Amino acid sequence: PVRGGHAQLGEVAAAEGAQYPVVIKAQVQVGGRGKAGGIKLADNADEVRLHAGNILGMDIKGHLVKRVWVEHASDISKEYYASYSLDRGAKQHLLMLSAEGGVEIETVAVVLLHINPVDGLSLAVARDAAVRASIDDEAVDGVADMLVKLYTCFTQGDCDLAEINPLILRPDGGVHALDAKVSLDNNAAFRHPEWDE
């Protein structure tokens, strides 16, 4: 992450290190950054300065952008969505998985799977969920592996929410978590002194 003033020197240096094209992302703890103009592509230093200058100081749903993240832009063949949350009524973890990711996740078909915390999530169950969600054949194994890793993050990290949006299929067949949102369970803070940092 680059903390901003208006010079954008840090952002340009980060972009040069990441190699163009790059993506500049507002670092605020809220969804909908892309829709709000908080995520931009840049092909050169002038565009980095322009976009970083516009994003820094931006108000996104009541959150002031003070930092941006600069990374190499990914080649994307397909976008998916995956998240874990706690279904308190069912007293189980809830996986939401969709073969469509992006900014309008609320409007797409999602496979829901309850997971008993005692049993956890096996790779076979994760793979079955990926198949049922109509994940592309070449991505099923990679998505299943990512689902198991995300579940480990969710449970061992004491999360209320662990979401990857989008989870992408690259042209080379790799599956990559392009962006994520995590909410921590404050009741578990006593187990995580590292959270203070």
Side-chain angles (χ1 to χ4, degrees):
V2 179
R3 296 175 196 279
H6 291 285
Q8 290 88 43
L9 296 176
E11 291 85 350
V12 171
E16 301 288 343
Q19 300 183 344
Y20 295 107
V22 297
V23 179
I24 302 160
K25 298 180 179 182
Q27 294 298 282
V28 288
Q29 294 182 329
V30 66
R33 293 172 302 159
K35 247 183 165 175
I39 300 176
K40 295 289 185 180
L41 282 168
D43 290 318
N44 55 56
D46 287 339
E47 290 182 4
V48 169
R49 282 189 284 272
L50 172 67
H51 296 316
N54 288 338
I55 293 172
L56 288 165
M58 178 184 284
D59 182 311
I60 300 179
K61 297 181 181 177
H63 296 264
L64 185 65
V65 179
K66 297 178 181 175
R67 294 187 305 172
V68 294
W69 179 265
V70 180
E71 68 183 17
H72 182 72
S74 297
D75 289 329
I76 301 172
S77 293
K78 192 73 191 289
E79 294 187 0
Y80 311 120
Y81 171 90
S83 73
Y84 292 101
S85 59
L86 177 61
D87 183 335
R88 295 187 190 280
K91 297 181 181 175
Q92 293 189 331
H93 297 142
L94 180 65
L95 164 65
M96 296 176 63
L97 180 64
S98 175
E100 298 179 64
V103 296
E104 299 291 345
I105 189 61
E106 303 84 4
T107 65
V108 301
V110 175
V111 166
L112 302 176
L113 175 67
H114 281 100
I115 302 163
N116 186 322
V118 174
D119 299 332
L121 179 71
S122 69
L123 187 59
V125 171
R127 192 177 195 289
D128 180 63
V131 170
R132 287 193 299 112
S134 301
I135 299 295
D136 300 278
D137 290 345
E138 62 269 34
V140 165
D141 289 333
V143 167
D145 180 62
M146 191 69 71
L147 290 176
V148 171
K149 290 175 180 173
L150 184 62
Y151 187 71
T152 299
C153 169
F154 175 74
T155 55
Q156 293 182 8
D158 284 311
C159 301
D160 283 331
L161 170 74
E163 172 188 270
I164 300 174
N165 186 25
L167 177 62
I168 65 164
L169 172 65
R170 298 187 311 244
D172 65 6
V175 173
H176 179 72
L178 192 58
D179 214 336
K181 180 167 54 174
V182 173
S183 297
L184 303 174
D185 179 356
N186 291 331
N187 294 318
F190 70 95
R191 286 195 291 259
H192 298 278
E194 74 276 10
W195 288 359
D196 290 336
E197 297 181 23

